[in-house]
Each structure stands twice: as C-alpha cells, then as structure tokens.
Amino acid sequence: MAARGLGLLTSLPLRARRGQVQRPLCRLLSCPGTVAAALGREEQSSGSSETGSEDRTPKKRFSEVQKERREQAQRTVLIHCPNKISEKKFLKYLSQHGSINNHFFYESFGLYAVVEFSQKESVASLQNVTRTPSLGTEAAIPFRSRYFNLKLKTPLNQTSEQSSIRCRNQSSPSSKKLFELLCCAESVDDQLSTLLRESQLTEENTRLRYLTCSLIEDVAAAYFPDCAVRPFGSSVNSFGKLGCDLDMFLDLDEIEKFSTHKASGNFLMEFQVKNVPSERIATQKILSVVGECLDHFGPGCVGVQKILNARCPLVRFSHQASGFQCDLTTNNRIALKSSELLYMYGALDSRVRALVFSIRCWARAHSLTSSIPGAWITNFSLTVMVIFFLQRRSPPILPTLDYLKTLADAEDKCIIEGHNCTFVRDFNRIKPSGNAETLELLLKEFFEYFGNFAFNKNSINIRQGREQNKPESSPLHIQNPFETSLNISKNVSQSQLQKFVDLARESAWILHQEDKDRVSPSNNQPWGLAALLLPSVANSMSLAKKKKKPASERIKNLLESIKSESTENSTATNG
C-alpha cells in the first residue's frame, strides 16, 4: 500500500529508441558502468576538503551555493524503482526526454534513483508520458509531482546488469565501525579528520535534501505560486552529519516583493487577501493549509503533525522516499542567516569543522546532547562554543562577528525584523589566520578552557569574542548572534552544565596523561579521541563522585599537579 502516497505514478516501458545517453560527470554520483569515475574528480562536496590542508580553491558565497542547488533540484526527479532493474536500459529510456547530468541510487523503503537532467524541460517531458495508477477498489488522488514509480512491463533477467547497480550510503557509520577507524588512525589530527570524513553529509545526501525541499515546494506552490521552500540549519551550514533532520522554511518574501512593486492602482486582489489579527495567526493559518496539503496530496509525506502553538509554529512529517524527518516553518529568515554565518566560519579554516564534529561526537557519546527536547546542550550551542574558543586563541583562528560586520559593504547590509544581521559575505575580503596550532592541541585546549570557564558569572558572545557578565541567572548563557537579547542555551540545567564541565576536565586530563605517557597508536588500546568516547569515562567519573570528593575538584587538582610537575622539571633542568 506504499504506492498510495506516491501521487502521480508512471509506467516506463524500457523499450527506448536508439539514442546516446549522456553519462554522469560527477564521481560522487557515478554508478558502475559510467565514465564518471575518470571525469568527476574535479567536483567535490562543498565541505569535503582534507582537514589541515590549505584550500586554495575560490570559496563560493552561501547565496551562490543556495541558488545553484535550488536550480539543480528543479530539474531533478525522484524515481521509485523495482528491486531488479537494468541501469543501462533505465538511463537509455530517460535520455529520450533529455540529456542527464547526474544520477545515483540509494535505498529507503525500497530502491530509489535521483536523476538530474540538463534542462528543466526534460522533467515536463517525462511528466507528460506518465499515468495515474489504477488501484482497484481504492481511488488515487492525482498530483503532478516529480516523484515517480517505475513499473516494468516485462521482468528483467540480465543478471550481470542487475548486479551493476550500487546504492549510495545515506547513513553515518556505526559506532563500532567509527571506533575502529579512530583506533587505526596515525595521529590525533588524523582521528579528527577521519571522523569528519566519515560523518559529514555526502554530495548525494546534500542533493537529496535540496530535492526534497523542491518537492515540498511543488505542493506549497499550489496555494502560493511564487513561494520557495529553503533548507536551513545543519543541512546547509556545513556542520550537518549523515542522518540529521531536514529543517526547511516556506519563504513567502518573493510574494511580498511582487506586491510592493504594484502598490499603486485602484484595484486590490481581494479574493487572495484576508486580514488576520497578527502575523503569528497568519503563520499558523498558512502552515495549517500546507500541512493539510502534505497530508492528503504530498507524495511520500507520512506522519504529518501540525504543531501550530509552539513558539515557532511548524509542520513535522517524514518524507518516506528520502528517509528524512522534516520540520517546516515559514519565513524563518534569521535562522537562514545563522546558517550562512556558520557556513562562513566553517569555510574560513579547515580545522573548524573537524573540531566541531569531534566535540559534537564526544558530547553525543556521553549523552550531553539528545534528539529529544529537554535540558541538554544543543548542537548549535556546542558549535557556537567552539567558534568562541577559536576566537580566543592567540592569534585568533576565527574573526568576531563585529569584525565581519566592519568588512561589509552596502550589498551585505541585512536587517531582519529589526535585528542587524549584517556581515561580509565575500571570503576574499577576510584575511586568513596566522595561527598554525594542530587539531590535537586545539582539542586538548578546548576541554581545558571550558573545564575552567566561569559559567557562574560569564556569558559567551561571538559578536565580540570575549567573556561578558551574564545578563541573567541561567546556568549557561550563550548570546544569540543576531537576536542579542536571547540566550540560545536557556534550556540547559545546572546539572547538565556541571556534567559537561566534569567531562571536559576529565577529557583534558586523559589527553595530558597520553602526552606524558606517550601512548602508541599501535598498542591496540583506545587512544586519543577514541579514548574520550568510551562510556567508561563517564561511568568511572560517576562512581568516583560517590566514593571520593567531586570529580571536578579531583580532576582540577590533577591538572594543577601536572602543570606544577612540569614546572619543577623545567626548574631542575635549568639548575
């Protein structure tokens, strides 16, 4: 019965006319049997450069990436395929409708293909040869979608062709697999690079996220023809890991801009405009309508929930074909601007993303973060803490937001809902950092810095890059970069903050002990980042709390003893 949610289905008889299939050119999206492997090494994911290496390629602006991805998604289709299919015949048939730029296969409740045409008109050509399915006693609701279901008229028996299809992985490696890779690394720097490489969003997964937003836009456009559905958050800020949720917002600004150009005249489009008491109520009504459309007409959208009374009203649903859990809001432009800021910070220095991924992984291993809302520290808060720490280095690795604002020109000026969100967007105007510290040192210093941070009186502020007095009594205060009166960590409880501090101090101590004992990566024992992820670290700490004095004092004393011991050794050497 899964076909009920597919909307307009298609039967594609694989008896195509003779024609030349344009092979995919991207290595990441290539499947066996194509020539892409030899030609596609030039195209890489926007954030997949090797950590620690100097990236000399020009960095694209966030807005440029968004525009390219959006246009790419609009000429892409999603096809639910039979489990047994000939890739060669599949591509040959589709090429009748136009040349194909890229394609890849993946699994999510079945076998799926993502196919990008060179021209948008090819999508309409394919839609014109589709048919609505016959479901016998049930009725199908036709919807002109870019999500198709391939039905073969004759079964395939070319075993060699069937086995040629290779599905692209859309999930992060298991904890066991990741742990093994970390233990086999050559250095702590290599461990952090490995974690980033294995966990970050792949090119295929990124394309699938933009395509999903584009498919949802098709549904919303039935009521709002000039709208746009844009991804934000982890999907676009370069810090997303495989398996993360897909946050998107319904952008109606284009409709408003269209209206402002025609402010004069005697006629109003009364049948399209209705007045409501507040903008929040308007948002709730819009999302309510879109939610109903997704529930009844949205191909592949299941489990639709309209959470309209939340602080930020949203529609939550699962997109079955892509496997993404989706949250849809409306006109959430500040969130998109925050995504752009993080994207810029992640692109300024190759160490930033590696450190953020490692800290997040460490926090997740010790239940400091959770996918369930509660008193936990969020990934966004952890990312801001890493940025703040890197601003505090000498020399700084990352510039402050206020400094980025001073580099901005008139084109960069951005005011959203009365908040000044201006910062420079041209990477060429930002001077690279002269800091050459290793990832191993930065990881160790991060734990030391926040293990001894005065959270009881100081606030974290990346606008100015310095500690400030807390304006409120929340255990953890991290200023929102744009809505400066807000605390993005207001939900964090004192016990969770203390747990973070205890674990940070113990992690710093473990890394210091490894330096002292010179642990070898070849002794088959967990070391470096892998040692910090062991559950026994937190468990032993909890046991020590019950039997001895508080872990925070114990570890602080250990760190002080290590420092004093190194001082004594230095004095003895001088003597």
Side-chain angles (χ1 to χ4, degrees), residues 196-471:
L196 172 62
R197 185 174 59 251
E198 295 294 325
S199 303
Q200 67 184 354
L201 297 182
T202 61
E203 171 68 12
E204 304 99 319
N205 195 270
T206 300
R207 287 177 181 252
L208 187 57
R209 288 172 184 271
Y210 278 88
L211 174 58
T212 302
C213 288
S214 189
L215 295 176
I216 301 305
E217 181 181 309
D218 290 345
V219 178
Y223 278 88
F224 310 103
D226 295 308
C227 72
V229 174
R230 307 183 189 279
F232 69 94
S234 296
S235 297
V236 298
N237 64 18
S238 79
F239 294 102
K241 68 183 289 286
L242 286 169
C244 67
D245 292 348
L246 173 55
D247 296 315
M248 58 181 80
F249 80 94
L250 178 65
D251 188 356
L252 302 176
D253 274 13
E254 293 301 320
I255 300 176
E256 294 179 4
K257 291 176 183 177
F258 177 77
S259 300
T260 55
H261 293 317
K262 298 186 178 182
S264 61
N266 298 324
F267 295 95
L268 298 176
M269 302 177 74
E270 192 66 34
F271 68 94
Q272 286 190 2
V273 178
K274 285 193 174 181
N275 296 327
V276 291
S278 68
E279 187 175 344
R280 177 178 173 83
I281 293 177
T283 296
Q284 291 173 328
K285 289 185 177 296
I286 291 170
L287 288 177
S288 178
V289 170
V290 175
E292 286 294 314
C293 289
L294 291 176
D295 196 13
H296 295 298
F297 311 126
C301 299
V302 298
V304 178
Q305 298 176 333
K306 295 185 290 184
I307 308 173
L308 305 179
N309 292 322
R311 185 182 68 84
C312 182
L314 59 94
V315 175
R316 178 167 292 163
F317 61 95
S318 297
H319 192 254
Q320 194 174 35
S322 63
F324 296 137
Q325 295 294 319
C326 305
D327 283 351
L328 174 67
T329 59
T330 181
N331 282 350
N332 199 356
R333 302 199 66 82
I334 287 186
L336 186 64
K337 201 65 181 176
S338 297
S339 302
E340 182 176 4
L341 179 64
L342 294 189
Y343 168 84
M344 173 162 278
Y345 276 131
L348 284 177
D349 193 286
S350 59
R351 293 166 290 183
V352 179
R353 295 176 63 245
L355 193 60
V356 168
F357 270 73
S358 298
I359 297 299
R360 284 184 175 186
C361 183
W362 167 82
R364 187 168 60 254
H366 297 296
S367 301
L368 290 171
T369 56
S370 175
S371 58
I372 304 172
W376 299 275
I377 299 175
T378 64
N379 280 331
F380 181 50
S381 294
L382 283 174
T383 304
V384 173
M385 292 172 76
V386 173
I387 292 172
F388 180 77
F389 164 73
L390 296 177
Q391 290 174 339
R392 301 287 297 165
R393 303 307 292 166
S394 180
I397 294 177
L398 291 178
T400 66
L401 181 52
D402 281 349
Y403 176 72
L404 293 178
K405 182 181 174 183
T406 63
L407 299 178
D409 54 21
E411 181 189 7
D412 299 318
K413 186 176 181 181
C414 179
I415 306 295
I416 303 176
E417 299 172 6
H419 302 285
N420 193 334
C421 303
T422 302
F423 59 86
V424 64
R425 293 178 293 170
D426 185 357
F427 287 97
N428 296 324
R429 301 177 65 183
I430 305 173
K431 185 179 179 180
S433 170
N435 186 302
E437 293 173 318
T438 64
L439 282 170
E440 179 178 5
L441 176 63
L442 291 174
L443 182 67
K444 186 193 312 177
E445 294 287 329
F446 174 88
F447 290 127
E448 274 200 34
Y449 181 79
F450 283 110
N452 296 281
F453 190 86
F455 289 107
N456 60 327
K457 63 178 182 179
N458 287 336
S459 169
I460 294 171
N461 177 0
I462 65 171
R463 289 202 73 94
Q464 300 180 4
R466 58 185 178 88
E467 303 165 10
Q468 292 182 313
N469 292 330
K470 284 202 302 186

Side-chain angles (χ1 to χ4, degrees), residues 49-63:
S49 60
E50 288 294 325
T51 305
S53 63
E54 188 64 27
D55 184 8
R56 299 183 184 277
T57 58
K59 299 181 178 68
K60 291 183 180 179
R61 295 187 182 191
F62 182 78
S63 57

Side-chain angles (χ1 to χ4, degrees), residues 506 536-547 551 554:
E506 183 152 340
S536 58
V537 174
N539 293 338
S540 62
M541 183 183 67
S542 300
L543 293 173
K545 274 186 175 182
K546 297 178 181 179
K547 297 180 180 180
R554 178 168 54 88

Side-chain angles (χ1 to χ4, degrees), residues 454-460 469-478 485-494 497:
F455 289 107
N456 60 327
K457 63 178 182 179
N458 287 336
S459 169
I460 294 171
N469 292 330
K470 284 202 302 186
E472 59 177 51
S473 59
S474 298
L476 175 61
H477 189 280
I478 303 176
S485 62
L486 298 182
N487 173 15
I488 65 173
S489 55
K490 192 176 181 66
N491 62 299
V492 179
S493 66
Q494 182 62 48
L497 177 61

Side-chain angles (χ1 to χ4, degrees), residues 11-64:
S11 174
L12 303 178
L14 299 187
R15 297 197 294 264
R17 297 187 300 269
R18 291 184 180 180
Q20 181 65 36
V21 179
Q22 181 173 337
R23 298 301 187 181
L25 298 181
C26 176
R27 177 175 61 86
L28 288 171
L29 301 186
S30 66
C31 293
T34 70
V35 297
L39 300 175
R41 291 184 175 85
E42 295 180 3
E43 182 175 333
Q44 295 292 336
S45 174
S46 58
S48 61
S49 60
E50 288 294 325
T51 305
S53 63
E54 188 64 27
D55 184 8
R56 299 183 184 277
T57 58
K59 299 181 178 68
K60 291 183 180 179
R61 295 187 182 191
F62 182 78
S63 57
E64 294 173 343

